[in-house]
Amino acid sequence: MIYNQLLPYLLVSGVLFSVGLYGILERRSLIGILIAAELVLNAANVNFLAFGRFMDVDKAIGQIYSIFVIGLAAAEVAVGLSIVIAIYRKYRSINIEKLVKLKG
Amino acid sequence: MQLPSIGDLVFLCFVAITFLGAVMAVGLKNIFHNALSLALALLGTAGIFVFLHSEFLALMQVLIYAGAISIAIIFAVMLSPPISLKPKKRRLSKILVSLCVSALVFASLAYVFIKTPWPVSPDPDAGDYSVVHLGEVLIARYAFAFELISVVLLVAILGALVIAREEPGEKAKQTFPELEEERWAP
């Protein structure tokens, strides 16, 4: 019974987090980084729900944390994409290596 | 050797879908393909949520994440290079460094996960998972989080509109920068 233990869920969320971290470090495109950040937030969701199910707590608490994270992710994507569009207007590019205006 | 049960097989299928989507979301070169793979990974995660007795969250995941957020990102296809353009090569040193860092983070996470004696409750299926209970707790005890997230969403919508709005004096430049290859990010 794999799905009735805590450890597999934790490992799944660990893998998701690591893949997202790899994407954030390696991608040069702003939207690619945004996509990788979504994976990291998703890993947090899996973790909250797994601990909410397997620990001796009120079963609603983990789900409420996850709802909060989903709401924050929606807000983050809205603001992030509008920032990407504003940057594209100014630089005609979304490659982060071109954004060097603040470089000392 | 014990045969895996049906539940195990379905669970492993969802895990495989999630991992495949996640790897493709960061590995493929075209942003459009990345966004579609992200939707796949999010759908796989919704299946995992069902195994955690969070059917309501699985529904919200499909509606909000796979429905709204991925579609918003797919709008970014406007900013992505044409598929016919040959994708740029990524730098090998950057890939190696990122791989090392994320593998190290995963190794330490897995070590902590395996070594910690988690105080798991003896009967994880006991307890009230129902949506009724969830709604009562959300409105009563966690009302502050509920109100906070509404304010955050309102401010984010207004902020996104203000940031993405075109400046009054600014005119759209009529250039065809698609022809300059080097500005597309890998």
Side-chain angles (χ1 to χ4, degrees):
Chain A
M1 285 302 201
I2 303 175
Y3 64 92
N4 268 336
Q5 299 160 13
L6 175 61
L7 189 57
Y9 294 99
L10 295 184
L11 290 179
V12 166
S13 89
V15 170
L16 276 179
F17 180 86
S18 310
V19 172
L21 183 66
Y22 168 80
I24 290 176
L25 289 175
E26 197 263 334
R27 298 307 299 270
R28 298 285 73 125
S29 144
L30 275 173
I31 294 171
I33 293 173
L34 212 60
I35 289 175
E38 291 307 308
L39 286 176
V40 172
L41 288 172
N42 223 33
N45 270 348
V46 175
N47 231 340
F48 278 133
L49 287 179
F51 278 116
R53 179 180 167 203
F54 289 101
M55 297 286 152
D56 212 358
V57 292
D58 189 340
K59 302 300 179 188
I61 293 176
Q63 302 190 38
I64 285 172
Y65 270 99
S66 282
I67 291 174
F68 201 78
V69 172
I70 289 179
L72 280 185
E76 175 238 339
V77 163
V79 175
L81 281 178
S82 64
I83 290 176
V84 169
I85 289 175
I87 286 176
Y88 182 81
R89 276 221 193 92
K90 186 125 182 112
Y91 292 88
R92 310 309 275 171
S93 164
I94 53 167
N95 187 339
I96 59 169
E97 281 166 359
K98 306 241 167 194
L99 311 180
V100 289
K101 201 155 202 178
L102 286 184
K103 203 172 176 181
Chain B
M1 186 178 147
Q2 197 188 352
L3 279 174
S5 68
I6 298 279
D8 279 348
L9 283 181
V10 177
F11 175 69
L12 290 177
C13 274
F14 277 123
V15 171
I17 289 174
T18 308
F19 286 175
L20 186 75
V23 168
M24 272 160 46
V26 299
L28 295 180
K29 293 209 168 103
N30 192 287
I31 295 176
F32 185 53
H33 297 158
N34 290 147
L36 290 180
S37 316
L38 176 71
L40 185 69
L42 297 175
L43 286 177
T45 321
I48 294 178
F49 285 180
V50 175
F51 278 95
L52 290 167
H53 293 291
S54 312
E55 288 86 3
F56 178 67
L57 257 293
L59 204 67
M60 286 301 112
Q61 176 94 355
V62 174
L63 271 178
I64 301 177
Y65 249 123
I69 293 183
S70 330
I71 298 303
I73 292 179
I74 285 175
F75 269 109
V77 78
M78 293 184 294
L79 305 181
S80 85
I83 295 184
S84 58
L85 220 69
K86 218 172 144 218
K88 278 180 84 175
K89 280 230 179 70
R90 297 181 182 182
R91 258 176 271 162
L92 189 66
S93 63
K94 207 153 256 167
I95 292 180
L96 284 181
V97 170
S98 317
L99 261 184
C100 285
V101 171
S102 52
L104 209 66
V105 168
F106 176 69
S108 41
L109 276 179
Y111 179 78
V112 172
F113 287 157
I114 293 171
K115 285 289 169 184
T116 312
W118 301 108
V120 176
S121 81
D123 184 14
D125 292 335
D128 197 351
Y129 288 97
S130 70
V131 183
V132 175
H133 178 59
L134 176 64
E136 276 169 5
V137 175
L138 185 60
I139 295 298
R141 193 171 153 203
Y142 291 91
F144 182 69
F146 183 75
E147 298 298 337
L148 189 64
I149 199 69
S150 6
V151 174
V152 166
L153 281 173
L154 178 67
V155 172
I157 292 170
L158 292 180
L161 284 176
V162 169
I163 293 172
R165 195 184 48 161
E166 214 159 338
E167 296 294 321
E170 189 186 344
K171 257 194 187 163
K173 293 184 194 101
Q174 285 294 324
T175 54
F176 293 94
E178 290 77 17
L179 305 174
E180 317 157 14
E181 274 196 34
E182 76 279 1
R183 97 204 148 89
W184 300 115

